[in-house]
Amino acid sequence: MKIRKTTRLDRGGAGRRRRMRVRLASHYGMCFGVRDALRATHAAAAEGPVTVLGQLVHNPVVDEDLERIGAGRGEPDADPGAAEGAVVFTAHGVSDRVRRRWQGSGRRVVDTTCPLVAKAHTALAGLVGAGYRPLVIGHRGHVEVDGLVGDYPEAVVIESFRDVLRLPSEGRFGVVSQTTQPRDRVAQLVEQLRRSRPGCEVKFVDTVCQPTKDRQAALVELCRECEFVVVVGGPNSNNTGELLGRARSLGARAVRVSRPDELRRRWFRGVASVGVTAGTSTLDETVRGVFDRLQRIAADLG
Ligand code: SF4
């Protein structure tokens, strides 16, 4: 997608107010995993009925697109007999238990699990195979985390230091994280685990995906230059929420919008510079729409 990274809206001149600058993060928006999942789902839907098991990606604009092409929605734990046509595993992945159940049902399965989620599954399986108790740093109940822990009844999900304190003081722990967790938080929890459980052996495999790391790093740079940040993405998108929280913790005023018409002109009165970033499930055209609307708002306020 080609968007000029910075729009210069400065009219200059002594005593004249500068127009609000609008800047795009150096890394933002849809990742290859989501793009491939969307492409595979569109291709399957072009051949016949499909049922997506869960929300393909956590973005309402994508949901509308899937509705438009007639893709149905089911749940990974549903009865295979109730689904229509081919079934799609989302980019968030599923447990082996769920995978086997659907594959054994005789239905055509379109598996769009992101290779970087699959890598996290492989890392966790390796740790369990080596005798470690599985720990997953992430959000309890998030579909990716459910898939990761779904084959291991002894697995523990770690959301905060409180969860670390509930662990036994002896044992061997094998740790991975949800791919979209902030890398700083993951590193901090692993450190807290090691310090608070000195009698335990802790083996950690970093499974935060590179697109997430790139977007988080680009946000830090964006917050250095912009006082206000707009994060484009769905309300239940984990990485969108993480970008929003991070922007605020870095001192920026920040809002999340799903689409351009949610932007309010009054938010930007007196703002000199606004940065735009987006979660990994946000369509390019949605980011473009937000960027263009911000430029119009800048011109109106100018
Ligand atoms: S956010 Fe990362 S793990 Fe998730 S689909 Fe995108 S690239 Fe894959």
Side-chain angles (χ1 to χ4, degrees):
M1 163 162 129
K2 286 197 174 60
I3 293 180
R4 261 191 316 151
K5 294 248 170 98
T6 304
T7 177
R8 290 193 57 78
L9 298 166
D10 179 5
R11 282 185 302 191
R16 306 285 296 273
R17 194 179 159 274
R18 283 170 167 254
R19 280 194 190 173
M20 181 173 82
R21 283 180 300 118
V22 185
R23 188 187 187 290
L24 194 62
S26 56
H27 292 275
Y28 64 91
M30 191 164 279
C31 60
F32 76 93
V34 168
R35 209 177 293 282
D36 289 353
L38 274 175
R39 212 174 278 142
T41 305
H42 270 262
E47 289 173 18
V50 292
T51 301
V52 179
L53 300 180
Q55 194 177 3
L56 188 69
V57 292
H58 295 150
N59 187 288
V61 182
V62 174
D63 283 346
E64 286 162 17
D65 174 58
L66 293 175
E67 209 173 303
R68 191 180 49 74
I69 64 169
R73 176 88 73 85
E75 290 303 325
D77 286 328
D79 172 8
E84 200 192 350
V87 292
V88 178
F89 295 155
T90 71
H92 307 100
V94 293
S95 64
D96 284 347
R97 178 184 59 81
V98 167
R99 176 173 282 104
R100 279 195 300 269
R101 203 160 59 80
W102 285 98
Q103 285 173 339
S105 72
R107 294 192 166 278
R108 179 179 168 222
V109 171
V110 180
D111 187 354
T112 72
T113 302
C114 173
L116 301 184
V117 174
K119 208 168 145 187
H121 278 260
T122 304
L124 195 60
L127 291 166
V128 172
Y132 293 93
R133 181 174 180 182
L135 305 188
V136 177
I137 296 173
H139 290 297
R140 209 166 278 120
H142 186 279
V143 60
E144 183 190 324
V145 175
D146 284 350
L148 281 165
V149 301
D151 294 315
Y152 310 109
E154 73 283 21
V156 178
V157 178
I158 304 289
E159 280 187 337
S160 69
F161 186 44
R162 270 211 303 269
D163 297 317
V164 171
L165 292 176
R166 288 194 197 104
L167 293 170
S169 52
E170 287 184 356
R172 302 173 78 215
F173 297 121
V175 189
V176 300
S177 80
Q178 189 179 349
T179 53
T180 51
Q181 281 288 297
R183 63 192 308 189
D184 300 354
R185 184 188 302 150
V186 172
Q188 187 187 33
L189 284 167
V190 172
E191 182 57 24
Q192 287 172 335
L193 171 63
R194 289 195 165 119
R195 278 178 192 271
S196 65
R197 295 289 180 275
C200 296
E201 186 189 341
V202 177
K203 189 161 168 68
F204 166 61
V205 182
D206 178 6
T207 55
V208 177
C209 73
Q210 194 59 44
T212 291
K213 288 174 180 167
D214 291 342
R215 281 150 189 71
Q216 289 172 0
L219 180 68
V220 175
E221 189 193 317
L222 194 67
C223 288
R224 268 192 216 116
E225 298 183 14
C226 301
E227 64 188 273
F228 198 115
V229 170
V230 175
V231 183
V232 193
N236 63 341
S237 156
N238 182 60
N239 71 90
T240 299
E242 298 292 356
L243 289 170
L244 182 66
R246 182 80 173 123
R248 287 176 177 160
S249 73
L250 289 166
R253 285 164 66 197
V255 294
R256 181 204 59 78
V257 294
S258 296
R259 54 185 102 230
D261 61 10
E262 292 176 9
L263 290 167
R264 296 287 170 265
R265 209 168 67 134
R266 65 176 187 280
W267 296 342
F268 304 98
R269 282 197 190 107
V271 171
S273 54
V274 56
V276 180
T277 185
T280 51
S281 49
T282 308
L283 294 168
D284 291 348
E285 52 262 41
T286 310
V287 183
R288 174 179 290 280
V290 166
F291 189 85
D292 289 349
R293 183 158 158 76
L294 281 169
Q295 283 182 306
R296 287 197 298 276
I297 288 173
D300 280 358
L301 293 174

